[in-house]
Amino acid sequence: MDLNNVLDFPILSLSIFLPTLGALVIWLFVHGDKAVRWATLAVSIATFVVTLPLAFMFDKGTAHMQFEELHPWIATFNVNYQLGVDGISMPFIILTSLLTIICIISAWECIQTRVKEYMLAFLILETTLIGVFCALDAILFYFFWEAMLIPMYLIIGVWGGKNRVYATLKFFLYTLAGSVLMLVAVLAMYFKAGHTFSLLAYMDYPFDFAWQFWIWIGFFIAFAVKVPMWPVHTWLPDAHTEAPTAGSVILAGILLKMGAYGFLRFSLPMLPDASQYFVPFMVILSLIAIVYISLVAMMQTDMKRLIAYSSIAHMGFVTLGTFMFTQVALEGALFGMISHGFVAAALFLCVGVMYDRLHTRDIAAYGGVANVMPIFAAVIILFAMANVALPGASSFVAEIMVLIGTFDASAVTQANLPVSVKWVAIIATTSVVLSACYTLWMCKRVVFGDVNKASVGAMKDMSARELGYFVPLIVLVIWLGLYPTPVLDVMHESVIHLVAQATTSKLDAAAALAQTAPMLNAVHH
């Protein structure tokens, strides 16, 4: 097979729209809950298979966008259907397609009402998530970013817990408010940069500092809500608590990564001077997330809320590594997002397994689970150890890279911080102790001890189906913990290029452009 012909094939478009096409076919022609489940699983597996060539044929030796597609969309406003991936975005596409399969299997028995609508919502959600990571046009990016709200709103609002309406409204309003400011920032860049929505053009355009400052704030609010960062994090515990298990899996595994991805795709390469200016601000918010939110997690009595707060703390490591402007810290942040996608997803699945049996997430309702569910106990303890970054787990690689990158932060970061970066690293290291406290405390109360409740004594161990969707997560967490090189190699060149963009000031170029603009206009006229 000719490789050039393969590369010309619109693999990104197929990856994006295959789930929606499958959803349309299922909606029109597939009837009966059992048939719908199998058809949805088949579509999700097909999408995963379609995305695999992105990894196998990816050129690790370049930072350029690959598998690019470019077609006119709304010609009047120069909006294009522009797609492409690099070492920063490609791993998230694979992660999305894999976790969607796991979500479908995990909901096989626990979703008994409106099964077709539930499965279709997940397939449409998969389209929007993959689209976010492929889009190279700002309007196309915004379209997928906003479209994601609709299926996620339905998943929580229709199939969630008793307070699902409150949780969905809070989730929707928080994210929509941030997105409106992102649209304003995009429109400002469109008029400033010569009426283009191309993200690649924005990366090259020399925005002056005043423009960077205000545009950066617009993007920051949108991305901070999605991460979420303190203090705009309060929607997440409510959304996780009320969401069905699969909704929590995709929320923690993918949706939280969209905000951090936005910083990497927009803020750092397009607005480097403003990003450098806001380093102290981002470091403070990241440390608050790491330390304060970890303390909040220790006070939780609901397992889902505890894991939700844990996710916020771990994402604090991601934003901290992002704004160190070093290759090691940025690669650690990216690797941390991938690792957290597996670990957090697995922990929410563990809670789902127990909830399906006792229909409660209250830690006090359990105790001694290891006595009646030994296989499950081994699984949850493995992922609990991964959550505290035990050596040998993928999360350890991510956190140690962020800490090393923080100790060795770039001259840009050190110059903008009022304190030594070593103090920043030392404060961030407390997360290791705090995460161990709340995670092991939960395991002690839930898994170990004697069985003192009849309801716990009646619990049965995991079925083959339940164990089956844990297996890939177990393999990936251990494999990437012992041998992270394949994923780090994919990111390497793109991260080097991003560091160069983030540490190169646009102010000189902006000043030169301002001086030559009148002359160029005179020549033009």
Side-chain angles (χ1 to χ4, degrees):
M1 183 181 294
D2 187 352
L3 183 60
N4 290 327
N5 291 336
V6 173
L7 294 177
D8 289 339
F9 184 80
I11 187 171
L12 294 182
S13 290
L14 183 60
S15 301
I16 293 170
F17 294 109
L18 179 58
T20 295
L21 179 62
L24 180 62
V25 172
I26 293 170
W27 178 51
L28 293 174
F29 301 109
V30 181
H31 306 287
D33 291 349
K34 184 177 181 180
V36 167
R37 290 187 180 99
W38 281 107
T40 306
L41 179 61
V43 172
S44 63
I45 292 174
T47 304
F48 177 67
V49 171
V50 166
T51 61
L52 285 180
L54 296 175
F56 294 141
M57 297 191 298
F58 189 83
D59 184 357
K60 301 175 184 177
T62 179
H64 294 298
M65 292 293 171
Q66 301 180 44
F67 307 98
E68 289 188 82
E69 301 176 36
L70 177 61
H71 306 285
W73 183 17
I74 308 174
T76 304
F77 300 103
N78 200 21
V79 179
N80 295 311
Y81 176 79
Q82 186 176 6
L83 305 176
V85 293
D86 60 1
I88 293 172
S89 56
M90 187 274 287
F92 292 108
I93 298 172
I94 308 297
L95 177 64
T96 301
S97 60
L98 174 61
L99 287 185
T100 301
I101 297 174
I102 292 174
C103 287
I104 298 302
I105 299 174
S106 70
W108 205 263
E109 295 180 354
C110 60
I111 300 298
Q112 296 294 332
T113 59
R114 299 181 178 179
V115 174
K116 177 181 280 191
E117 290 84 354
Y118 182 87
M119 296 298 178
L120 298 186
F122 261 95
L123 291 178
I124 295 171
L125 179 62
E126 184 177 18
T127 282
T128 61
L129 294 174
I130 294 177
V132 165
F133 297 119
C134 293
L136 293 181
D137 181 276
I139 294 298
L140 186 64
F141 179 91
Y142 185 80
F143 170 80
F144 286 123
W145 179 279
E146 286 296 276
M148 172 277 303
L149 294 177
I150 300 172
M152 197 68 219
Y153 179 90
L154 294 174
I155 289 168
I156 301 174
V158 176
W159 295 275
K162 60 181 180 179
N163 294 322
R164 59 185 180 273
V165 174
Y166 168 78
T168 49
L169 284 175
K170 194 172 183 180
F171 161 71
F172 192 87
L173 291 175
Y174 265 71
T175 51
L176 183 63
S179 299
V180 169
L181 293 176
M182 180 171 73
L183 179 60
V184 172
V186 165
L187 293 175
M189 296 174 78
Y190 168 77
F191 289 109
K192 181 69 173 177
H195 297 81
T196 178
F197 285 110
S198 171
L199 301 189
L200 301 181
Y202 292 161
M203 293 178 189
D204 293 332
Y205 189 84
F207 296 102
D208 59 64
F209 184 76
W211 278 84
Q212 288 191 44
F213 182 91
W214 292 110
I215 294 171
W216 192 96
I217 291 176
F219 282 130
F220 163 76
I221 295 173
F223 301 148
V225 168
K226 196 76 77 177
V227 168
M229 299 181 71
W230 180 90
V232 290
H233 67 284
T234 58
W235 64 268
L236 182 66
D238 293 320
H240 270 308
T241 302
E242 301 304 326
T245 298
S248 292
V249 169
I250 209 72
L251 187 61
I254 305 297
L255 265 69
L256 304 191
K257 313 306 180 292
M258 290 169 55
Y261 174 77
F263 285 123
L264 298 172
R265 183 59 79 217
F266 285 80
S267 304
L268 266 63
M270 299 178 191
L271 313 166
D273 300 288
S275 295
Q276 295 168 23
Y277 178 82
F278 283 105
V279 161
F281 176 69
M282 293 300 296
V283 168
I284 291 171
L285 294 187
S286 299
L287 292 179
I288 291 174
I290 292 170
V291 179
Y292 168 70
I293 299 299
S294 293
L295 294 174
V296 173
M298 294 173 64
M299 305 301 295
Q300 302 306 307
T301 59
D302 182 296
M303 288 184 285
K304 263 196 173 184
R305 292 186 75 87
L306 187 150
I307 299 169
Y309 281 111
S310 172
S311 295
I312 299 170
H314 283 95
M315 291 304 293
F317 256 96
V318 171
T319 53
L320 178 65
T322 298
F323 282 83
M324 288 298 107
F325 298 105
T326 62
Q327 175 197 329
V328 173
L330 270 169
E331 287 186 3
L334 272 168
F335 195 83
M337 285 191 271
I338 301 298
S339 171
H340 181 263
F342 298 136
V343 175
L347 287 174
F348 280 114
L349 288 169
C350 288
V351 175
V353 168
M354 290 186 285
Y355 183 82
D356 289 343
R357 285 153 175 78
L358 295 192
H359 301 289
T360 179
R361 296 181 298 269
D362 189 0
I363 294 173
Y366 295 89
V369 170
N371 295 290
V372 293
M373 301 177 67
I375 298 176
F376 170 78
V379 171
I380 192 173
I381 292 300
L382 185 150
F383 287 111
M385 295 300 101
N387 197 52
V388 303
L390 190 75
S394 56
S395 50
F396 172 77
V397 177
E399 291 195 9
I400 201 68
M401 289 182 70
V402 170
L403 290 173
I404 292 173
T406 302
F407 268 108
D408 190 32
S410 71
V412 167
T413 301
Q414 295 188 51
N416 284 283
L417 281 176
V419 297
S420 169
V421 289
K422 293 180 174 58
W423 282 108
V424 174
I426 290 170
I427 295 172
T429 306
T430 60
S431 170
V432 177
V433 176
L434 295 174
S435 63
C437 288
Y438 60 72
T439 305
L440 297 181
W441 174 81
M442 181 186 73
C443 290
K444 176 182 179 296
R445 297 282 302 277
V446 171
V447 180
F448 299 112
D450 298 326
V451 178
N452 296 319
K453 299 177 180 65
S455 57
V456 175
M459 294 172 69
K460 295 183 179 180
D461 212 340
M462 288 194 299
S463 64
R465 175 186 63 85
E466 290 171 328
L467 182 60
Y469 58 68
F470 279 109
V471 168
L473 299 176
I474 293 171
V475 171
L476 287 165
V477 166
I478 296 175
W479 174 51
L480 294 179
L482 299 175
Y483 187 57
T485 303
V487 175
L488 294 177
D489 283 349
V490 168
M491 304 171 178
H492 189 69
E493 291 299 325
S494 295
V495 169
I496 291 175
H497 181 61
L498 179 59
V499 170
Q501 289 177 310
T503 55
T504 302
S505 174
K506 289 187 174 183
L507 299 186
D508 293 339
L513 183 67
Q515 292 176 0
T516 57
M519 186 190 317
L520 293 174
N521 289 334
V523 171
H524 175 74
H525 290 299

